[in-house]
Amino acid sequence: MSLNFGPHLLAIPGPSVMPDRVLRAMHRPSPNIYEGELIELTNSIFPDLRTVAKTKHDVAIYISNGHGVWEAVIKNTLAPGDKVLILSTGLFAKGWAEIAETHAINVQLLEFGMGADADPAMVEQVLREDKNNEIKAVLTVQTDTSSSVINDIPSLRKAIDNAGHDAMFMVDCIASLGCDRYEMDEWGVDVTVAACQKGLMTPAGLGFVYFNEKAAEARKRVTPGYYWDWLPRTKGEMYYQNFAGTAPTHHLYGLREALTMLVVEEGIEQAWKRHKTIAKAIWAAVDAWGEGGEIHHNIKQPNKRSTAVSTIVTGVEDAVKLRKWTEFEAGMTLGIGLGFGEPGSEDYNRHFRIGHMGHQNVPMTMGVLGTMEAGFKALNIAHGEGALSAAAKVFA
């Protein structure tokens, strides 16, 4: 018997749950794109985007997904033949590397696997060996959505400085912005990329590139082309230059409402604390389940886990069985495993992900955990007891 009626609960690591307020803000006729309200609204978005990333520097908005802003960064800072060092702690840094290679960028990939964060000592060693400063940039993610690891961005910055290297430091915060603590200026990041569909709670379609003076200087030696050029997007005299053409009108209304919720009403510091608390509740439940079965965290050390997403490992076939049961029998979608073997392989079928980013609270969290526990029981998947009580204690 299926109980899949009523509102569907989304628990994937992006696109995240969209607040009703955001959807209502977007549900309106097209505005005047030449003057008036839309221009004022757009101008109000930039300061709040800076607040979320803790920066005073420029931010360019692109009508794109995360892959688009990966390419925008490459087009604005690197030339064919340049060399970059990419720190891979899951699947997504490799995606950035693939895009770089299509632009004839020489990629040196430093691989840390699917279960560990980037080692600053190894990064420092590689940079010290680069005697001629051939490496123009170090690229990494803060949170890798596939492995759920979080990289120590300040320590990686220190590694670059300790090596005495002049490489730009570029960080992908697509999965982490608005969820995990991030301080672009304090941590010495030169370029930050992000997108709207995760911690910023807006339908997929907008990407953001933050850049400081060092990155702006790098742009002077390249030819970014018309669409990707971040200079007119941040320094243009006409409104349309912010978007290289027609503005993404309804995304802007949605983003404005999301930023009001996140920055104006809650505050970014409180949002970080909320995400940390919700993550700890989920971690406590997984630990309890693991006492009586094969369920465990992909990232073993809590201080190396993202507060936005959790990658969970199960017995053979159990992850895929659970995902199917929760989606089709119960009405809740969990995230697939990414980066762990090909779809259908044994390793792939042992992994799933819980998204706990953006518009999240206690009832939603306990609903996700309760549905998962019901699935374990319905499918006779071995698990320990007391998971919901362990999660509830975190909120007490």
Side-chain angles (χ1 to χ4, degrees):
M1 176 186 69
S2 174
L3 299 174
N4 185 5
F5 292 89
H8 196 92
L9 183 56
L10 192 67
I12 66 174
S16 64
V17 175
M18 288 178 286
D20 289 342
R21 286 175 55 180
V22 171
L23 295 175
R24 287 196 296 268
M26 299 176 71
H27 191 70
R28 54 171 296 147
S30 292
N32 184 345
I33 63 170
Y34 303 108
E35 59 185 9
E37 176 189 275
L38 183 66
I39 296 176
E40 295 171 4
L41 178 143
T42 303
N43 289 337
S44 77
I45 285 174
F46 290 103
D48 286 347
L49 286 175
R50 293 188 186 97
T51 297
V52 171
K54 290 284 186 176
T55 183
K56 68 179 187 300
H57 296 298
D58 285 324
V59 53
I61 301 176
Y62 292 87
I63 306 171
S64 79
N65 55 19
H67 289 70
V69 286
W70 281 345
E71 187 160 49
V73 169
I74 291 163
K75 293 288 287 182
N76 279 278
T77 60
L78 299 167
D82 283 350
K83 184 177 182 180
V84 297
L85 177 65
I86 295 186
L87 317 180
S88 177
T89 55
L91 184 67
F92 287 89
K94 294 186 183 72
W96 207 351
E98 289 171 0
I99 290 178
E101 288 174 336
T102 67
H103 291 279
I105 304 300
N106 181 9
V107 170
Q108 181 175 351
L109 191 70
L110 196 54
E111 178 62 67
F112 296 96
M114 294 295 296
D117 60 332
D119 182 352
M122 291 182 64
V123 174
E124 181 177 338
Q125 179 182 346
V126 170
L127 293 176
R128 285 186 181 277
E129 293 171 354
D130 182 34
K131 301 296 185 182
N132 297 322
N133 280 345
E134 293 180 3
I135 295 172
K136 301 300 183 184
V138 176
L139 285 64
T140 193
V141 299
Q142 182 183 28
T143 287
D144 192 288
T145 325
S146 61
S147 67
S148 75
V149 75
I150 185 167
N151 282 308
D152 187 340
I153 302 304
S155 292
L156 293 173
R157 172 75 260 179
K158 186 177 180 181
I160 298 171
D161 294 341
N162 287 347
H165 206 287
D166 193 42
M168 290 177 286
F169 188 28
M170 303 180 178
V171 179
D172 171 334
C173 290
I174 292 169
S176 58
L177 195 68
C179 307
D180 292 303
R181 175 175 287 275
Y182 184 72
E183 301 182 61
M184 177 176 172
D185 293 357
E186 181 68 22
W187 293 355
V189 178
D190 299 306
V191 175
T192 299
V193 299
C196 69
Q197 74 271 20
K198 299 193 184 239
L200 301 190
M201 307 176 291
T202 305
L206 296 181
F208 314 107
V209 177
Y210 302 79
F211 58 96
N212 66 9
E213 292 90 348
K214 183 175 182 177
E217 188 67 23
R219 181 203 162 275
K220 294 179 181 179
R221 56 180 285 271
V222 302
T223 305
Y226 180 84
Y227 187 79
W228 296 119
D229 192 353
W230 65 32
L231 187 60
R233 290 174 182 269
T234 55
K235 306 297 183 185
E237 297 180 357
M238 303 294 290
Y239 177 71
Y240 79 90
Q241 292 177 288
N242 287 293
F243 311 104
T246 303
T249 55
H250 288 66
H251 272 80
L252 293 173
Y253 282 111
L255 179 61
R256 176 61 273 165
E257 190 66 22
L259 289 171
T260 296
M261 296 173 67
L262 180 64
V263 176
V264 179
E265 296 175 359
E266 183 177 22
I268 191 61
E269 294 277 352
Q270 178 57 37
W272 291 337
K273 293 177 182 177
R274 172 171 56 86
H275 279 85
K276 188 70 171 180
T277 301
I278 288 172
K280 285 182 175 179
I282 291 171
W283 300 345
V286 173
D287 288 341
W289 285 325
E291 292 296 322
E294 297 185 60
I295 303 161
H296 61 274
H297 301 279
N298 180 55
I299 304 300
K300 295 178 174 57
Q301 295 175 260
N303 67 331
K304 296 183 182 297
R305 297 176 193 153
S306 170
T307 64
V309 54
S310 293
T311 301
I312 310 301
V313 190
T314 70
V316 177
E317 300 291 331
D318 287 345
V320 69
K321 290 177 183 177
L322 178 67
R323 286 195 300 102
K324 288 180 178 179
W325 188 91
T326 61
E327 182 171 2
F328 298 109
E329 300 299 323
M332 181 184 79
T333 303
L334 292 166
I336 63 172
L338 285 178
F340 298 93
E342 295 298 320
S345 68
E346 181 177 301
D347 201 24
Y348 177 90
N349 289 340
R350 290 169 59 95
H351 292 83
F352 71 94
R353 296 173 299 155
I354 308 169
H356 36 93
M357 54 179 59
H359 192 51
Q360 299 286 323
N361 60 16
V362 175
M364 295 166 73
T365 305
M366 296 302 290
V368 169
L369 297 174
T371 304
M372 288 173 59
E373 178 144 320
F376 292 144
K377 294 183 184 302
L379 298 168
N380 294 315
I381 295 174
H383 63 285
E385 299 297 329
L388 299 184
S389 293
K393 287 180 181 177
V394 175
F395 294 126

